[in-house]
Amino acid sequence: MLIDSHCHLDFPDFIEDRDDVIRRAREVGVRLMLTISTKITEADKIISLAEAYDDIVCSIGIHPHEAGREPETTAEELARIASHPKVVGIGETGLDYYYEHSPREAQKKNFQAHIAASRDTNLPLIVHARDADTDTAMILEQEVAKGRFPGLIHCFTAGPELAERALNIGMYISFSGIATFKNAKEIRDVIEIVPLDRILVETDAPFLAPTPHRGKRNEPSFVRHTAELIANIKNISYQEFIDISGTNFFNLFSKASPPKISNQSHIASSSNT
């Protein structure tokens, strides 16, 4: 099935028309959406959103941009919140040296706490890495030596070295609409080398709308464009790719289950969630 493995449906961009956005996703065959936490202080909000829809699950965590602003959170506290049935992943977390909205040391400490929570809960670690390839790979490799944990690099924009190092420790790689951009040849080259059984697909909505919607607000229905691109690169049919990537999603996010509703099911009345 087609799954948007990373979006931000709790963001203000979707307040006015979230039901319509979810309906459009269902109409193009998106069967499940994973909405991603960026602030621990908004954990209740994102869990409530996921509770309102059968085909939405969520993560819990602190984005590296927020590492210096959100309360310092222990692995134990992350694990406690992640015990909720709708929480299927830890993050997003990681390192961002491009914007550096938070001090690097705060980002690293936050990253390590999330890794410990992932290890303790066996919920996948959702990693954000931008202009921080060396430190990201080093921390992941150091931490996996202490005990394995599942995870993925989301919205992959780095080169083959980070991909190979992540794959070597058992992680998955998720690609967003950036891969469809004309100048994204390096990302498409990475897609060629990542095994099919380690690929996920995402939107990162409301950001990074793929071609042909570039410049617009992104939304989960647009994930099909990235899926079509990857299927073409891998020289398989679109249906085969979404079958494989859907299986990959549930292999990684093993706490998640396929939704009971159909794509045409009634939208929850939760516009104010």
Side-chain angles (χ1 to χ4, degrees):
M1 63 177 67
L2 182 58
I3 296 171
D4 185 355
S5 67
H6 193 113
C7 56
H8 297 279
L9 292 172
D10 64 313
F11 277 22
D13 308 69
F14 298 113
I15 287 176
E16 298 298 325
D17 64 343
R18 186 181 296 126
D19 284 353
D20 291 335
V21 166
I22 293 168
R23 182 178 294 108
R24 285 193 291 271
R26 292 174 178 174
E27 287 172 351
V28 302
V30 177
R31 291 290 310 281
L32 195 67
M33 292 157 269
L34 171 51
T35 189
I36 301 294
S37 172
T38 59
K39 297 178 181 180
I40 200 71
T41 52
E42 297 183 357
D44 289 346
K45 182 181 76 169
I46 199 164
I47 290 173
S48 293
L49 190 156
E51 286 177 324
Y53 301 89
D54 287 345
D55 48 356
I56 295 178
V57 290
C58 68
S59 69
I60 194 70
I62 302 172
H63 193 287
H65 288 343
E66 309 294 340
R69 295 189 284 264
E70 286 285 289
E72 189 172 313
T73 305
T74 65
E76 291 75 16
E77 178 64 7
L78 288 165
R80 183 191 67 78
I81 300 171
S83 66
H84 189 281
K86 277 285 191 168
V87 178
V88 302
I90 303 293
E92 65 185 285
T93 183
L95 305 174
D96 193 313
Y97 294 171
Y98 182 80
Y99 286 111
E100 296 202 79
H101 290 324
S102 291
R104 292 188 180 187
E105 288 308 309
Q107 293 187 44
K108 290 176 182 178
K109 189 172 184 179
N110 182 61
F111 191 15
Q112 290 165 331
H114 283 66
I115 292 171
S118 173
R119 185 187 295 116
D120 291 345
T121 62
N122 202 40
L123 295 179
L125 184 76
I126 301 160
V127 178
H128 172 110
R130 187 168 185 188
D131 282 15
D133 294 5
T134 299
D135 282 358
T136 299
M138 180 181 66
I139 290 172
L140 289 171
E141 289 165 350
Q142 288 173 345
E143 290 291 332
V144 82
K146 301 175 186 178
R148 302 197 70 83
F149 52 88
L152 79 159
I153 309 291
H154 106 89
C155 190
F156 193 88
T157 57
E161 181 181 353
L162 179 58
E164 290 168 357
R165 291 173 74 174
L167 291 167
N168 285 341
I169 62 171
M171 300 192 81
Y172 289 67
I173 307 291
S174 179
F175 295 97
S176 72
I178 294 178
T180 70
F181 296 176
K182 185 177 181 181
N183 62 350
K185 183 181 183 303
E186 184 176 354
I187 298 174
R188 293 190 287 273
D189 289 344
V190 172
I191 291 172
E192 290 186 357
I193 67 170
V194 176
L196 265 171
D197 64 358
R198 297 283 196 90
I199 291 179
L200 275 71
V201 65
E202 65 173 88
T203 58
D204 205 11
F207 313 111
L208 308 174
T211 305
H213 302 287
R214 191 172 181 183
K216 300 177 182 178
R217 181 194 67 176
N218 203 0
E219 60 180 67
S221 64
F222 296 169
V223 73
R224 69 188 189 279
H225 299 295
T226 306
E228 288 168 353
L229 171 80
I230 298 174
N232 287 335
I233 290 172
K234 292 298 193 180
N235 196 30
I236 60 176
S237 71
Y238 174 74
Q239 185 61 51
E240 186 176 0
F241 174 72
I242 66 171
D243 288 346
I244 292 170
S245 60
T247 297
N248 295 345
F249 179 90
F250 291 111
N251 285 342
L252 178 61
F253 292 95
S254 57
K255 186 176 173 182
S257 301
K260 297 176 183 178
I261 65 171
S262 72
N263 286 346
Q264 303 302 319
S265 294
H266 177 66
I267 299 282
S269 179
S270 59
S271 297
N272 61 349
T273 299

